[in-house]
Amino acid sequence: MVPRSAGAEPPPAWYLRDWDSGALYKRGRLLGEGTFGRCYQVTEVTSGRLYAAKLIPRARLATAAIGDRVERERELQRHLRHRHIVRLHGHFTDRGHLCLLLELCSRGSLADILRARGRLTEPEVRYYLRQLLSGLRYLHGHGLVHRDLKLSNFLVTERMRVKIGDLGLARRAAPPGRRWGALCGTPAYLAPEVLERRGHAVPSDVWALGCAVYTALTGHAPFEARHRPELYRRIRGARYPLPPQLSPRARALIAHMLDPEPAARPSLAGVLGHPFLTQGFTPQALPPRACHSVPIFVGQEPLRRILRGLRCWRGCGCVPVTPGGGRAPPQST
Ligand code: 9ZP
């Protein structure tokens, strides 16, 4: 007999029905495998609205750990409303699947973009980081820590805005003196205090965000090792290489966010006010082609003013250049 792995689960039906509201959803393409089930693009048949649906086989929900996580994600996200946090639009069960209807971010995750690009430029990282900080300040302001910040949880919308997703591990920040002890999250981004079971508080989110900034700028994670014990030794000692291609301000920010002592790390307001964010050029918008290739910015005055007439119609500070060297015509989206 062939053992049934997660991948061998039968696909959900072509149509999914929310029997409470009567809404019918057509299943579209597979977006990827989430932690507990497959994710599909779905269309609400009457309105034509698109969503990202997380379909979790009910058999898996019976496992206490998964059931709890899904329940928590549902409960947390129901009350959260912010332009940089992925919205949960609703949930229902149909033929053995729990379906979480989430906001569709049609350009995939920053991890997908990084895979296509190798690494991102500093202006782009400033652009995304500002939005992520805004979403994270909202979460922290609601007394929540995310606990699994990483590039694959940062989702990019059609209009190139970034949103924080996957709140399955998010929890209420523990009161001072009492911190959560469980070891969870992505191993490479675990903060030293989390490894030492001193709990995950706001500074541990700042650490993970620092790891994400480093990864976006260099194309690889700050802490890498073939085996877990070595990885954890490096994290505990905060031993990582700072490649010379990084600007002094980027290095300074990373070093501050990756301070082994949680209390020494900057607050989110501190990150926002860091010279890396306040002094470099930050585009107002990014062109969709930045998902695949390096955007060209004309960020320096007075050249910027001179070339204003040449600027991209999106107002993103990029100069649309066609392969032939001429200006690209405006595209419609
Ligand atoms: N990715 C390939 C390049 C590898 C995609 O094609 C792709 C396309 C997407 O939209 C068309 C997409 C993700 C990947 N969209 C999307 N994914 C989400 C998501 C929203 N939008 N989320 C909302 N909350 N959590 C996330 C999560 C689960 C639905 N994801 C992705 C995580 C892995 C697969 C889907």
Side-chain angles (χ1 to χ4, degrees):
M1 206 176 102
V2 183
R4 264 184 61 167
S5 68
E9 267 158 17
W14 286 106
Y15 285 91
L16 296 149
R17 187 177 287 282
D18 177 352
W19 293 96
D20 290 332
S21 71
L24 185 66
Y25 300 88
K26 188 175 194 297
R27 180 160 64 82
R29 75 179 180 94
L30 180 71
L31 299 177
E33 300 278 342
T35 327
F36 337 104
R38 294 185 189 139
C39 303
Y40 292 91
Q41 183 169 312
V42 299
T43 314
E44 209 254 310
V45 172
T46 45
S47 65
R49 282 201 194 99
L50 297 171
Y51 299 94
K54 222 185 235 188
L55 292 165
I56 305 149
R58 258 161 113 172
R60 290 217 209 165
L61 287 175
T63 325
I66 293 179
D68 282 359
R69 258 188 78 164
V70 172
E71 182 57 40
R72 194 176 307 133
E73 176 166 5
R74 228 165 64 179
E75 193 48 39
L76 286 175
Q77 234 154 332
R78 219 157 55 95
H79 302 290
L80 298 175
R81 226 157 265 204
H82 189 271
R83 65 186 183 286
H84 296 298
I85 306 279
V86 168
R87 269 287 300 279
L88 174 68
H89 290 281
H91 63 88
F92 58 88
T93 39
D94 182 23
R95 277 167 290 187
H97 285 88
L98 169 67
C99 176
L100 297 183
L101 276 183
L102 293 145
E103 180 177 356
L104 180 74
C105 302
S106 64
R107 305 209 184 263
S109 73
L110 282 187
D112 297 332
I113 293 178
L114 198 68
R115 209 168 298 127
R117 291 273 311 275
R119 58 175 176 242
L120 305 184
T121 62
E122 294 194 6
E124 286 173 281
V125 171
R126 279 191 280 273
Y127 168 84
Y128 290 124
L129 184 56
R130 280 194 184 178
Q131 298 172 36
L132 294 170
L133 286 167
S134 159
L136 204 53
R137 281 176 96 173
Y138 174 86
L139 272 189
H140 288 178
H142 280 72
L144 298 169
V145 280
H146 187 283
R147 303 202 306 169
D148 200 16
L149 295 174
K150 55 180 172 184
L151 296 171
S152 57
N153 284 340
F154 301 154
L155 296 140
V156 180
T157 66
E158 184 67 19
R159 302 174 66 185
M160 296 297 286
R161 298 278 155 189
V162 70
K163 304 198 177 215
I164 300 172
D166 211 338
L167 302 186
L169 276 184
R171 279 189 88 154
R172 301 233 143 256
R178 222 191 125 248
R179 292 171 159 200
W180 306 121
L183 195 57
C184 57
T186 303
Y189 285 11
L190 291 177
E193 69 275 13
V194 180
L195 283 179
E196 285 159 19
R197 308 290 213 274
R198 286 189 278 135
H200 191 126
V202 165
S204 331
D205 270 358
V206 171
W207 171 282
L209 194 60
C211 290
V213 167
Y214 182 105
T215 308
L217 288 173
T218 65
H220 56 88
F223 306 100
E224 287 176 322
R226 217 183 279 275
H227 305 292
R228 285 283 162 91
E230 177 55 22
L231 174 69
Y232 292 164
R233 256 195 301 280
R234 289 185 185 194
I235 292 175
R236 284 204 187 90
R239 280 190 290 125
Y240 59 92
L242 265 174
Q245 82 258 17
L246 295 177
S247 72
R249 287 183 200 130
R251 290 152 162 270
L253 175 64
I254 288 166
H256 200 185
M257 294 176 87
L258 299 186
D259 194 305
E261 175 51 45
R265 285 173 217 147
S267 63
L268 295 182
V271 177
L272 203 59
H274 190 276
F276 173 74
L277 278 166
T278 57
Q279 289 177 27
F281 164 67
T282 309
Q284 297 260 298
L286 275 187
R289 49 183 282 166
C291 293
H292 311 285
S293 46
V294 185
I296 301 160
F297 299 114
V298 182
Q300 301 299 314
E301 302 279 4
L303 198 59
R304 190 172 167 187
R305 209 174 349 201
I306 296 164
L307 293 176
R308 188 164 289 153
L310 259 180
R311 297 258 296 280
C312 171
W313 62 278
R314 286 170 208 274
C316 49
C318 94
V319 177
V321 186
T322 55
R327 285 177 62 189
Q331 305 148 346
S332 60
T333 38

